[in-house]
């Protein structure tokens, strides 16, 4: 029997078009042997410099922020710009999960950005950020999922899932190579997502270029142990307390627990959830919610709260006159949530009670984007800090979750799109 995982070690891909510039940058001429690359283009990466390193008593949190033309790396405490890396095209960023690296979705795949948050040579210090030439090859790179001690990548262009031990990525600075990976194929390419549970079960979406219908479970030998095709337009995933996995559908959500799938039907005939906002300590998943199949734009005014232990759900209304987008929800350390509203405020949601409480003004009022890729305000909650971008003013703010106080503001000089925070 062929094992589920085909084990391989990715070879590093050399960046073409090496050129010297005043900034000592390396120019990346994007290429794709398959001709199926996603958004991306030419890129430049600042060379790492030992003289750019500074001693510190502990790991220093960093933020990677994309903009049209590059990626900024920020000091997450002061919000000062540490590096500005040129990178053409529409690029997305996700924390790799190791506290140091960010995966940048480029034309060739998931490219490794070393934020310089710290190094692992026995001394804690920060280093100059570097967009490395290491790429997990993935035509049309899609979702990045971090769970347990694994990082899971999904290629929309092939349907392949790539899994590696998260901690192994830390070795790239000394080996110059990507960690060993496991590759799992889908029957057909599609815009999908996968997650590997603690017991080795792989949950991966079912679909093709035309539609997505559900999720299947595979054991370590590649045997399908369960499947559900009751999740049309499946998108987004998360795990709640007791490792109950949840996926969004256009008519509710799909749960996986103890080897079996359970469908929770939406309150409306069309009730789409496309993103899950979860914590490992809460049994309640929050999801974005849209009950109008003919709606235009990307503003939403409702959330769904799914109790994965009771297998029930309820729809929550935002405060009157306030909308949000998929980039505007974050869970807090106490299992509550913050929602970044179009009124420019952070709205505190008591998840257990299903009610909104305090509101903290942060930025000016804004409107949702015409296209989902367009820059618009986004929220990332890490520990006791909420980071809010304001593309209109070219700034980013750090907000104390408990008090709503803006503790720092960074002038980026660009309209930030997506952000990824690494905390060491």
């Amino acid at each position: 029997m062929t094992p589920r995982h085909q084990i391989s070690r990715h070879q590093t891909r050399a960046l073409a078009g090496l050129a010297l510039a005043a900034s000592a940058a390396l120019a990346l001429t994007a290429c794709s042997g398959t001709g199926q690359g996603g958004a991306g283009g030419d890129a430049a990466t600042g060379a790492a410099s030992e003289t750019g390193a500074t001693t510190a008593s502990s790991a220093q949190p960093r933020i990677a922020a994309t903009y049209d033309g590059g990626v900024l790396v920020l000091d997450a405490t002061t919000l000062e710009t540490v590096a500005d890396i040129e990178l053409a095209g529409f690029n997305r960023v996700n924390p790799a999960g190791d506290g140091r690296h960010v995966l940048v979705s480029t034309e060739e795949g998931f490219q490794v950005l070393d934020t310089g948050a710290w190094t692992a040579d026995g001394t804690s210090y920060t280093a100059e950020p570097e967009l490395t030439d290491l790429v997990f090859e993935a035509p049309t790179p899609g979702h990045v999922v971090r769970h347990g001690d694994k990082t899971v990548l999904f290629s929309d262009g092939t349907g392949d899932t790539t899994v590696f031990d998260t901690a192994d990525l830390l070795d790239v600075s000394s080996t110059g190579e990507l960690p060993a990976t496991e590759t799992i194929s889908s029957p057909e390419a599609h815009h999908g997502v996968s997650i590997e549970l603690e017991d080795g079960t792989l949950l991966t979406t079912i679909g093709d270029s035309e539609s997505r219908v559900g999720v299947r479970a595979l054991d370590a030998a590649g045997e399908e142990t369960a499947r559900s095709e009751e999740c049309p337009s499946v998108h987004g995933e998360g795990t709640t307390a007791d490792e109950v996995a949840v996926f969004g559908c256009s008519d509710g959500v799909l749960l996986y627990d103890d080897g079996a799938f359970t469908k929770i039907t939406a309150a409306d005939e069309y009730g789409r959830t496309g993103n899950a906002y979860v914590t490992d300590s809460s049994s309640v998943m929050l999801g974005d919610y849209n009950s109008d199949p003919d709606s235009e734009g990307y503003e939403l005014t409702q959330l769904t709260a799914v109790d994965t232990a009771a297998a029930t759900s309820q729809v929550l209304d935002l405060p009157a006159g306030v909308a949000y987008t998929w980039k505007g929800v974050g869970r807090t350390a106490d299992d509550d949530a913050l929602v970044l509203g179009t009124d420019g405020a952070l709205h505190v949601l008591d998840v257990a009670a299903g009610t909104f409480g305090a509101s903290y003004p942060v930025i000016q009022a804004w409107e949702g984007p015409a296209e989902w890729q367009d820059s618009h305000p986004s929220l990332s909650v890490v520990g006791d800090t909420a980071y809010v971008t304001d593309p209109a003013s070219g700034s980013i703010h750090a907000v104390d979750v408990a008090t709503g106080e803006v503790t720092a503001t960074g002038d980026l000089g660009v309209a930030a799109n997506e952000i990824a925070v690494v905390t060491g």
Side-chain angles (χ1 to χ4, degrees), residues 15-32:
L15 298 181
L18 182 63
L20 295 178
S23 62
L26 295 176
L28 169 62
T29 301
C31 63
S32 175

Side-chain angles (χ1 to χ4, degrees), residues 44-209:
T45 172
S49 169
E50 287 299 321
T51 60
T54 58
T55 58
S57 60
S58 61
Q60 303 300 296
R62 292 276 170 88
I63 300 172
T66 64
Y67 66 93
D68 185 9
V71 181
L72 299 178
V73 179
L74 315 174
D75 181 306
T77 302
T78 65
L79 300 184
E80 295 178 350
T81 298
V82 179
D84 186 347
I85 301 169
E86 294 181 10
L87 187 62
F90 175 71
N91 303 289
R92 313 193 71 185
V93 287
N94 286 277
D98 64 348
R100 176 173 174 177
H101 295 95
V102 167
L103 299 178
V104 184
S105 299
T106 64
E107 184 174 273
E108 293 187 331
F110 299 94
Q111 190 164 353
V112 178
L113 168 64
D114 186 344
T115 66
W118 60 287
T119 59
D121 65 348
T123 303
S124 178
Y125 65 91
T126 57
E128 185 175 338
E130 178 188 12
L131 182 62
T132 74
D133 61 357
L134 302 176
V135 180
F136 293 95
E137 295 182 6
T140 316
H143 286 267
V144 176
V145 174
R146 302 163 301 279
H147 180 69
D149 59 0
K150 302 288 187 180
T151 299
V152 183
L153 316 176
F154 195 93
S155 170
D156 292 350
T158 64
D160 288 349
T161 296
T162 299
V163 183
F164 63 90
D165 290 335
T166 304
D168 289 350
L169 193 60
L170 293 174
D171 295 334
V172 300
S173 60
S174 58
T175 66
E177 296 182 357
L178 291 173
T181 63
E182 299 171 323
T183 301
I184 306 94
S185 299
S186 295
E188 296 188 65
H190 62 281
H191 178 52
V193 65
S194 298
I195 180 172
E196 184 168 307
L197 303 181
E198 297 279 5
D199 66 359
T201 298
L202 185 82
L203 301 175
T204 184
T205 50
I206 304 167
D208 56 30
S209 61

Side-chain angles (χ1 to χ4, degrees), residues 243-336:
E243 206 179 29
V244 179
V246 59
F247 298 82
C249 319
S250 62
D251 60 356
V253 298
L254 186 67
L255 307 184
Y256 179 86
D257 183 28
D258 197 25
F261 288 101
T262 301
K263 176 65 177 289
I264 300 179
T265 304
D268 301 279
E269 182 177 355
Y270 178 86
R272 181 183 186 274
T273 291
N275 295 277
Y277 312 99
V278 298
T279 73
D280 290 335
S281 53
S282 172
S283 64
V284 178
M285 179 214 82
L286 287 180
D288 50 14
Y289 190 77
N290 178 17
S291 61
D292 181 3
D294 300 318
S295 62
E296 297 181 357
Y298 294 91
E299 291 186 4
L300 301 169
T301 59
Q302 294 180 313
L303 291 159
T304 182
V306 179
D307 187 330
T308 60
T312 59
S313 67
Q314 62 174 323
V315 176
L316 309 177
D317 293 316
L318 261 68
V322 177
Y324 72 100
T325 75
W326 57 275
K327 292 171 63 174
V329 183
R331 296 295 291 269
T332 62
D334 59 2
D335 293 333
D336 284 334

Side-chain angles (χ1 to χ4, degrees), residues 337-405:
L338 295 176
V339 179
L340 177 59
T342 51
D343 59 348
L346 287 174
H347 298 269
V348 181
L349 174 63
D350 183 326
V351 172
T355 57
F356 282 92
S359 296
Y360 305 131
V362 180
I363 61 177
Q364 295 297 311
W366 53 279
E367 294 183 355
E371 301 293 339
W372 70 266
Q373 299 96 331
D374 294 343
S375 293
H376 62 281
S378 62
L379 166 69
S380 181
V381 181
V382 179
D384 57 4
T385 303
Y387 296 97
V388 176
T389 64
D390 184 8
S393 65
S395 60
I396 185 173
H397 307 280
V399 182
D400 185 297
V401 169
T403 66
E405 176 188 0

